[in-house]
Amino acid sequence: MTDERLDDLEQRLPVSERVASIAFAHPSERVAAQILDFYRIAWEYEPTTFPLEWDRHGNVLASFAPDFYLPEFDLYIELTTMSQKLVTKKNRKVRRLKELYPEVSIKILYQKDFRKLLFKYGIPVRSRDHSEGGGLDADHGAAVKERGARDEGGERS
Amino acid sequence: MSMTFPDSRIERVLHDSVEIQAAVRRLGSEITADYEDRDLALVTVLKGGVMFLADLCRAIERPLTLDFMSISAYGPDAAASVRITKDLDDAIEGRDVLVVEDIIDTGLTLNYLLRVLRQRKPASIAVCTLLDKDARRLADLPIEYRGFAVPDRFLVGYGLDLGGLWRTLPYVATLTDEVWSA
């Protein structure tokens, strides 16, 4: 597939005004928001910052803000599309979050998960260079469209 | 029994036709028992659910009707939001609706579908899926009847496809990772 074709596909992915108005920290977060918007799932982008560590004076030393909150399901989602070293660090934060806030539901989507998700939705994807922040971007690469999935390809729901 | 794969991208058979038909019979028996004296309408989403629906409906020993929907796909050609591209032919108000799915993965499609159907005031609504892949489930939905819990692999066969192919395989098979990681 040519770069022109990939650019054309990227531009034709549905983007709501809200998605367009948010400065996402990473391109993969924008794609995730697009998918949620498409399926009419309410979402909030980084709405909550959870303190994870404090000093003896009660000052917050470390905190964690999951990427998305889905109020309909009371679920936080964290996209992790980085190198394994950084994934380990993020896993540690999520574990700590679960220890401190056991009532909070959070799900991590790893790079492999997210790549599969993009593939499933027929979205062209490329691996970003380390100098670009790593992870995945939805504008180059595996552009196979799962046409069977009435909505999501061979596998859907 | 040796099995000839129709494509090198197919890795292995996850559930063969014998296992699938046993699951269909089990689910059919459960549904038969649960829906005694109720007005049952089976609904599936084209095209993937057709194979499972065709077998399941014949394993349910109750009067029932069949109906079909189609929903727009997310992807390069998608509109701004999901929409129904083929609606049910019959009204479901006051009826007991059972949504029949080939697979439930993220749950995003099913979540939309259930929301649409609930607005039509059915007497009840329940979900039956042959395959439950909950590793990537985002929408936590109640699933009353499930055939198999399946791993987080890309699956084809028995209604599941890739690019429209392999739906007609009598078994459910995994694809090699190269298919999606290329």
Side-chain angles (χ1 to χ4, degrees):
Chain A
M1 182 171 284
T2 65
D3 286 348
E4 290 76 16
R5 172 66 176 148
L6 289 169
D7 289 343
D8 181 49
L9 286 170
E10 170 67 3
Q11 286 171 12
R12 284 190 288 121
L13 291 174
V15 181
S16 69
E17 286 183 17
R18 184 179 173 212
V19 167
S21 71
I22 294 177
F24 292 98
H26 194 280
S28 58
E29 295 168 2
R30 182 172 63 85
V31 176
Q34 288 173 242
I35 294 172
L36 293 170
D37 263 357
F38 181 81
Y39 285 99
R40 305 184 193 189
I41 304 290
W43 55 270
E44 298 168 25
Y45 180 62
E46 295 187 342
T48 312
T49 300
F50 295 94
L52 298 182
E53 287 179 37
W54 298 261
D55 66 15
R56 67 176 68 174
H57 305 294
N59 300 310
V60 174
L61 295 177
S63 58
F64 181 50
D67 295 323
F68 292 97
Y69 176 62
L70 311 184
E72 192 178 345
F73 308 114
D74 191 19
L75 174 70
Y76 288 89
I77 295 176
E78 176 66 16
L79 296 178
T80 304
T81 57
M82 305 174 298
S83 70
Q84 190 53 47
K85 200 164 88 178
L86 296 172
V87 169
T88 302
K89 188 176 172 185
K90 192 169 281 190
N91 280 343
R92 202 176 297 134
K93 281 195 167 190
V94 170
R95 272 202 305 274
R96 185 68 179 142
L97 186 150
K98 287 179 175 176
E99 286 169 6
L100 293 171
Y101 309 93
E103 73 283 3
V104 171
S105 296
I106 182 167
K107 191 166 282 190
I108 303 181
L109 282 182
Y110 297 99
Q111 176 160 318
K112 190 175 176 183
D113 299 325
F114 195 63
R115 184 184 280 273
K116 284 182 181 176
L117 198 62
L118 296 181
F119 177 79
K120 169 179 176 155
Y121 287 99
I123 301 170
V125 60
R126 71 173 178 116
S127 295
R128 286 158 54 89
D129 189 78
H130 185 68
S131 62
E132 299 176 282
L136 300 174
D137 200 352
D139 58 358
H140 297 278
V144 180
K145 172 99 170 89
E146 289 180 48
R147 299 188 191 287
R150 37 226 158 166
D151 40 348
E152 299 172 16
E155 300 187 41
R156 183 188 34 108
S157 288
Chain B
M1 183 177 73
S2 66
M3 187 90 66
T4 302
F5 295 135
D7 194 297
S8 61
R9 288 172 290 180
I10 290 184
E11 187 181 54
R12 70 181 180 91
V13 174
L14 187 63
H15 294 291
D16 64 24
S17 59
V18 173
E19 291 175 302
I20 291 171
Q21 292 311 315
V24 167
R25 285 194 299 274
R26 170 174 60 80
L27 294 169
S29 296
E30 292 175 16
I31 294 165
T32 298
D34 292 349
Y35 283 86
E36 186 174 4
D37 298 326
R38 293 166 70 181
D39 182 16
L40 181 58
L42 299 190
V43 170
T44 198
V45 183
L46 298 171
K47 301 172 185 171
V50 168
M51 306 293 177
F52 180 40
L53 178 78
D55 286 342
L56 181 68
C57 69
R58 289 175 291 177
I60 301 172
E61 297 176 10
R62 296 276 172 229
L64 55 82
T65 62
L66 306 179
D67 214 336
F68 303 88
M69 295 181 85
S70 189
I71 296 174
S72 60
Y74 184 87
D77 300 319
S81 63
V82 63
R83 60 194 169 81
I84 295 169
T85 54
K86 186 229 171 288
D87 207 343
L88 298 176
D89 291 328
D90 304 319
I92 56 169
E93 183 172 352
R95 304 194 66 196
D96 293 297
V97 174
L98 181 61
V99 177
V100 177
E101 289 277 18
D102 47 354
I103 187 167
I104 298 176
D105 186 351
T106 62
L108 297 180
T109 308
L110 180 59
N111 179 66
Y112 168 75
L113 183 64
L114 291 178
R115 204 179 326 172
V116 167
L117 294 179
R118 284 190 187 112
Q119 290 171 352
R120 301 179 185 186
K121 298 180 170 47
S124 69
I125 188 161
V127 177
C128 174
T129 186
L130 178 68
L131 307 172
D132 181 13
K133 185 200 287 184
D134 68 357
R136 285 206 309 267
R137 185 73 37 81
L138 298 180
D140 190 16
L141 303 165
I143 301 171
E144 283 79 4
Y145 306 97
R146 58 165 60 76
F148 304 103
V150 291
D152 187 15
R153 300 299 307 268
F154 199 96
L155 306 175
V156 294
Y158 199 66
L160 304 172
D161 76 303
L162 177 63
L165 298 176
W166 299 324
R167 287 189 199 283
T168 54
L169 298 177
Y171 49 81
V172 173
T174 59
L175 290 184
T176 60
D177 281 349
E178 285 71 29
V179 172
W180 60 267
S181 61

